[in-house]
Amino acid sequence: MFSFSQPIKDNVDEAISGVKGELVLKIFGSDIAQMQAQANQIKDILEAMPITEQVLIDELTGQPELRYSFDRNFISRIGASVASAQKVIEAGVRGYDAAAIMDQEARLVPVVLKPEMDHQPTADDLLLLSVPNSQNSSTSLKSLGSYVLKDGVGKIYREDGRRRIALRISPKGVSMVDYVGRADAEIHAKFGKSSAPAEVVSGTSPQPAASSHDLTTLPDMKWAGAFENARRAALQFAQTVPLCLFFIVVLLFAWIQTWDLVFATLLQVPFCVLGAVVGLRMFGLSLSISAACGIIVVIGVSLLTGMMIIKKVKEGLSGSDAVTDSLKGVLLSNLVAIIGLIPAAFSSAIGSETAKPFAVAILIGLISSLICSLTIYPFLIDRLRGFFNRNKTDVFKKRAEILS
């Protein structure tokens, strides 16, 4: 299986999660073979999901190992030694450092002793090598014991003092956060466990240690990568957006000084937000951090449109007359941004995956806000002012009755 990568991006991903991948699922344990089997099982689960593009696993095993078991009693009877047999095997595989000579520049150059062969020796070739003994003769390795050729451990990765194996995942058609939630629930369901929302938010799924090669118990695993960035950004948005809206309301009241017109100005917010969300769905985009930034921008621009209309209302005009009188300014301020963002919204070039959600959220949000501002917004202003005026009249009547 092949994958495309970029050195700078890989270094950034590795600095974030310790693995060269945007979305990573880490599995922790002590048994390498069991961790590899669990990773392969989870890979099959994720690849069966239609929202998974590709899953790559760290291959910890697969390194060929030649394990030779010596018959020590037989070796001692013929006067040989295990150390001599080990040196013969080392010489056959990679060569044995027998001595070192000094070259003309006073550098030590090792002299490697190795059997003369036309090809890389196999396990059967090594068995034909001879081991010297004390009887001034030699014995082949084949008669000194037995061997087995098997796959061993090639790499061992550790994190926080524990062994781990990582799965690098590429989602398709969904955001990182949505994919983690659905994939985590699917893994828990396949392993017979129920997924807890708190574990998905924290990115970890602590479970008790499984028995040797037990593929029915959910392993100790942790989501990492760009998912962590999205989670931190979501927490920051949850703190900053309400605070910004609060200061917007305070500034609007300091300028307008009546709550009915403040609420009338804030009616622009649902118009643009609804349009931005619908636009993202129309373009097949998810609500990413880039799209959220675009929604914040379009809220600010839409509030400026509302302020231009409300300024005319403060001068005594009705809602429809205020829109008509400020039509040129509203169209100019909105159309400049709409026309300027059209190329970015329909772009598919390199880097558009970041700029496109931002542009689409602003473009469709401004279009919906402009349409609503010219159609139903004047009616809503008049109804809202009428509602507040009736309430004020009722309050004044009750106070007059009390005073009388």
Side-chain angles (χ1 to χ4, degrees), residues 26-91:
K26 300 178 182 178
I27 299 175
F28 298 92
S30 57
D31 190 339
I32 297 294
Q34 177 183 340
M35 293 165 55
Q36 191 77 55
Q38 290 173 337
N40 291 328
Q41 188 177 14
I42 293 178
K43 177 184 177 182
D44 295 336
I45 296 173
L46 297 178
E47 287 182 338
M49 300 174 61
I51 57 176
T52 301
E53 180 72 25
Q54 188 183 49
V55 180
L56 299 176
I57 303 180
D58 290 338
E59 294 295 338
L60 304 184
T61 60
Q63 179 72 28
E65 290 184 356
L66 177 63
R67 298 187 180 182
Y68 203 96
S69 300
F70 295 104
D71 187 351
R72 296 179 180 270
N73 294 327
F74 177 74
I75 291 175
S76 61
R77 286 198 303 268
I78 65 174
S81 64
V82 175
S84 299
Q86 290 176 341
K87 288 182 179 179
V88 170
I89 295 176
E90 181 184 359

Side-chain angles (χ1 to χ4, degrees), residues 48-356:
M49 300 174 61
I51 57 176
T52 301
E53 180 72 25
Q54 188 183 49
V55 180
L56 299 176
I57 303 180
D58 290 338
E59 294 295 338
L60 304 184
T61 60
Q63 179 72 28
E65 290 184 356
L66 177 63
R67 298 187 180 182
Y68 203 96
S69 300
F70 295 104
D71 187 351
R72 296 179 180 270
N73 294 327
F74 177 74
I75 291 175
S76 61
R77 286 198 303 268
I78 65 174
S81 64
V82 175
S84 299
Q86 290 176 341
K87 288 182 179 179
V88 170
I89 295 176
E90 181 184 359
V93 174
R94 57 170 292 273
Y96 175 68
D97 294 338
I101 60 175
M102 186 174 294
D103 62 4
Q104 297 178 351
E105 297 181 1
R107 293 178 303 182
L108 291 177
V109 179
V111 177
V112 178
L113 180 64
K114 191 172 184 180
E116 185 178 358
M117 295 184 183
D118 297 333
H119 58 277
Q120 182 68 22
T122 63
D124 295 331
D125 295 332
L126 294 177
L127 294 178
L128 300 178
L129 298 178
S130 299
V131 179
N133 54 39
S134 60
Q135 301 175 0
N136 295 326
S137 62
S138 60
T139 307
S140 65
L141 278 171
K142 186 176 182 179
S143 60
L144 299 183
S146 60
Y147 80 95
V148 59
L149 185 63
K150 62 183 298 183
D151 290 338
V153 178
K155 297 179 181 179
I156 297 179
Y157 297 100
R158 288 182 174 87
E159 185 173 326
D160 297 331
R162 297 184 296 169
R163 294 179 176 180
R164 64 104 174 134
I165 185 172
L167 290 83
R168 291 169 289 165
I169 306 166
S170 298
K172 177 175 64 177
V174 296
S175 64
M176 295 284 184
V177 177
D178 293 338
Y179 182 88
V180 169
R182 295 168 63 176
D184 193 78
E186 187 72 16
I187 293 172
H188 280 76
K190 294 295 183 181
F191 277 91
K193 300 289 183 179
S194 60
S195 176
E199 294 178 353
V200 177
V201 172
S202 63
T204 60
S205 299
Q207 297 293 333
S211 60
S212 179
H213 299 283
D214 182 12
L215 300 181
T216 60
T217 304
L218 187 68
D220 183 5
M221 60 185 191
K222 175 184 177 182
W223 293 95
F227 164 74
E228 294 179 323
N229 293 338
R231 183 188 62 196
R232 288 192 293 266
L235 293 176
Q236 292 177 355
F237 271 111
Q239 297 171 357
T240 57
V241 171
L243 187 63
C244 291
L245 291 176
F246 171 76
F247 282 112
I248 287 174
V249 172
V250 171
L251 292 175
L252 286 176
F253 183 77
W255 175 60
I256 301 175
Q257 297 182 351
T258 56
W259 284 112
D260 54 347
L261 296 182
V262 170
F263 286 117
T265 307
L266 293 176
L267 287 176
Q268 290 283 342
V269 175
F271 297 158
C272 62
V273 172
L274 180 61
V277 173
V278 172
L280 292 173
R281 299 297 296 178
M282 288 171 53
F283 281 77
L285 302 173
S286 57
L287 186 59
S288 60
I289 302 301
S290 178
C293 293
I295 292 176
I296 294 176
V297 172
V298 79
I299 288 175
V301 177
S302 299
L303 286 176
L304 291 176
T305 300
M307 291 174 65
M308 284 190 289
I309 298 175
I310 295 302
K311 181 181 178 181
K312 301 297 181 180
V313 175
K314 283 184 63 178
E315 297 175 358
L317 299 179
S318 62
S320 57
D321 293 336
V323 171
T324 303
D325 197 60
S326 58
L327 182 60
K328 291 182 180 180
V330 170
L331 289 177
L332 183 62
S333 61
N334 285 268
L335 289 178
V336 168
I338 290 173
I339 296 173
L341 289 171
I342 288 178
F346 290 92
S347 174
S348 58
I350 297 176
S352 61
E353 63 273 6
T354 301
K356 189 170 184 177

